[in-house]
Amino acid sequence: MQRSPAHLFITFTLIGLSGFGGVLPWARRTLVEQKQWLTSQEFNALLGVCQLVPGPNIVNLAVCVGERFGGVRGAFAAVGGLMLAPMTIVILLALLYDHYGEFERVQGILRGISSVGVGLIAATGFKMLKDELDYPPMLAVIAISIVIATIYQLALGWVVAITLPLALAVAWRKAR
Amino acid sequence: MMIGLVGLFIKLSLFSLIAFGGVNALLPTLYDISVNQEGWIDPQTFIHYFAIAQAAPGPNLLTVTLIGWNAFGLAGALLATLAVCWPSCILIFYLQRVIAKLRHLQWKKTIEYSASALAVGLVLASAWQIAIRINGNWAAYALTIFSILFVLLSKRHPLYLIVLGAILGFFGFI
C-alpha cells in the first residue's frame, strides 16, 4: 500500500506535534492503533532494526516508514514532517525561556512534564514486551539487556554488542 | 562564525555515529562535547534546554537543536539538527532495503525477532536511566509510575497526563 508524500508529511507532523517527552509512544499509537498501517509485531521489528543503527531512533523510524509507503520522497516527507514543526516550537520556547526561565514555577512545570514523559517511554516498552510473551526464552535476552544497561551501566554500543549474538541465537530457534 | 558552524556540523555528525540507542542514551557524551570541549553552552543552560526539549512536543534530539541555537542562532539550530540526523538516515535507508530483499525466510525472521527483542530491552533500559536522571523526589517517581499504569490500563489520550504533570509541577509537588 503506497501513500503520497503529502499524506506522510502530515501524518508525521501530527506524530511529532503530539509527542511530548518522546515521540515513540505517539508513533506507536498513530501507526499501529489508529491508522493501522503496521501491526504491532511489524512495528516492533521495524523499531528493532532502527535501534541497530546509531542516531535518533525516531528519525530512523520515519525514514523506514516513509520509505516503505512512499519510497525516497516518502522518506524525506516523513522526516521533514517529524522535525519541522517541533523545531519551530522548541526555538520559540527557547526565546520564552530567555525571559521567564528563572521562575521556580516554570521550572516546576518542566519537571512535572518530564516525569510524565519518562513514564510514557516506559509504558511503550511494556506494550512492546507483551508481544514477546509468546516465546518466553526471548524474555531472558530482554532481561539481560536491561540488566547490563542499567545495573552495570555499560554504553549502549556495548549492550548491543553483548546482547545481539544471544538474541540472534534465540531468534534463530524462534523462527524455525 | 563560518568555521564554528563547520566544526559544529562535523562534531555532531560524529556524535550521531556513536549514538546507539538515541540521543538521550548518550547525554553525558553530548554534555562533555558541548560544555567542556567546545564551549557551545554553559552547564546550567544545558540542563534547562534538556528539560525544554523533553517538555516540548517532538523528538528528544531537540536538545541538540537548542545547543546549536545557543551557539550560532538559527543557522546553528538547523545545522545541528541536520548533523545529528543525516548519518543514521542514510544507514537505515539502505539497511531496511537489504533486509526487505532478503529471500531466506528464516534469516529474515531471525533478524527481525532479535532486533525486536533488543528494542524492547533498550526502550525499557533507557526509560529507567532517564527516570533516575530527572526524577528528584518520591512524588516524581509516583507520577512516573502513575503515567505508566494510566497508559497501560486506560484508553484516554496521554495528553491528560501532560496537563496533570504541568499542574503538579506548577504547584511545586514535583
Side-chain angles (χ1 to χ4, degrees):
Chain A
M1 183 71 93
Q2 293 291 297
R3 322 268 166 186
S4 70
H7 193 171
L8 284 160
F9 185 89
I10 291 167
T11 302
F12 273 88
T13 297
L14 293 177
I15 290 174
L17 280 180
S18 45
F20 288 88
V23 177
L24 208 51
W26 270 271
R28 191 180 196 286
R29 196 178 157 88
T30 305
L31 297 173
V32 177
E33 291 167 23
Q34 290 174 344
K35 300 209 170 223
Q36 302 185 343
W37 288 5
L38 300 166
T39 68
S40 188
Q41 281 84 359
E42 282 173 333
F43 181 86
N44 285 6
L46 211 52
L47 184 63
V49 173
C50 292
Q51 306 249 27
L52 292 179
V53 174
N57 299 322
I58 188 67
V59 177
N60 294 346
L61 189 74
V63 172
C64 286
V65 175
E67 201 274 337
R68 179 178 288 196
F69 292 102
V72 178
R73 294 173 62 201
F76 274 104
V79 174
L82 181 70
M83 294 306 304
L84 267 184
M87 270 178 72
T88 311
I89 290 174
V90 89
I91 288 172
L92 291 176
L93 284 176
L95 286 172
L96 281 177
Y97 167 83
D98 287 344
H99 292 279
Y100 305 106
E102 71 270 30
F103 291 109
E104 172 55 27
R105 298 248 188 230
V106 174
Q107 296 183 7
I109 290 174
L110 293 180
R111 279 198 303 275
I113 294 175
S114 296
S115 294
V116 170
V118 73
L120 297 182
I121 298 174
T124 304
F126 285 120
K127 278 188 185 177
M128 292 166 64
L129 190 62
K130 264 188 218 160
D131 296 321
E132 304 291 334
L133 293 178
D134 59 349
Y135 193 71
M138 203 54 112
L139 295 178
V141 177
I142 294 169
I144 290 170
S145 73
I146 294 173
V147 167
I148 52 183
T150 56
I151 296 176
Y152 294 101
Q153 307 221 334
L154 293 185
L156 276 146
W158 283 108
V159 178
V160 172
I162 295 170
T163 321
L164 191 59
L166 265 175
L168 282 170
V170 176
W172 180 258
R173 289 175 152 269
K174 182 183 178 184
R176 248 201 306 236
Chain B
M1 172 89 175
M2 208 41 218
I3 292 172
L5 278 173
V6 172
L8 179 90
F9 186 78
I10 293 172
K11 281 262 174 183
L12 289 177
S13 298
L14 292 175
F15 167 76
S16 173
L17 276 173
I18 58 162
F20 281 99
V23 169
N24 272 348
L26 278 180
L27 210 60
T29 310
L30 183 64
Y31 182 94
D32 202 42
I33 295 173
S34 47
V35 176
N36 300 332
Q37 294 178 21
E38 302 294 327
W40 291 325
I41 193 167
D42 66 76
Q44 173 85 358
T45 314
F46 181 94
I47 291 162
H48 284 162
Y49 275 174
F50 168 66
I52 291 175
Q54 291 282 309
N60 294 323
L61 71 99
L62 291 170
T63 314
V64 178
T65 307
L66 289 178
I67 291 170
W69 163 261
N70 191 69
F72 301 105
L74 193 58
L78 292 174
L79 268 185
T81 313
L82 191 64
V84 90
C85 291
W86 77 268
S88 67
C89 281
I90 290 176
L91 282 175
I92 195 70
F93 184 82
Y94 288 105
L95 185 66
Q96 130 127 330
R97 292 204 154 184
V98 168
I99 290 175
K101 277 186 191 144
L102 264 183
R103 296 236 180 269
H104 194 308
L105 195 64
Q106 188 173 0
W107 264 115
K108 191 174 172 176
K109 282 199 177 263
T110 300
I111 292 174
E112 286 184 354
Y113 286 151
S114 52
S116 142
L118 217 57
V120 179
L122 290 183
V123 168
L124 286 173
S126 136
W128 179 294
Q129 288 169 314
I130 297 172
I132 290 168
R133 276 192 201 127
I134 64 168
N135 284 347
N137 58 19
W138 67 268
Y141 278 102
L143 180 59
T144 298
I145 291 167
F146 176 78
S147 304
I148 296 172
L149 295 175
F150 182 94
V151 173
L152 292 179
L153 303 177
S154 150
K155 288 277 174 207
R156 284 177 191 277
H157 197 285
L159 202 56
Y160 288 107
L161 285 170
I162 302 286
V163 175
L164 175 70
I167 292 172
L168 288 176
F170 180 83
F171 288 107
F173 290 108
I174 304 301

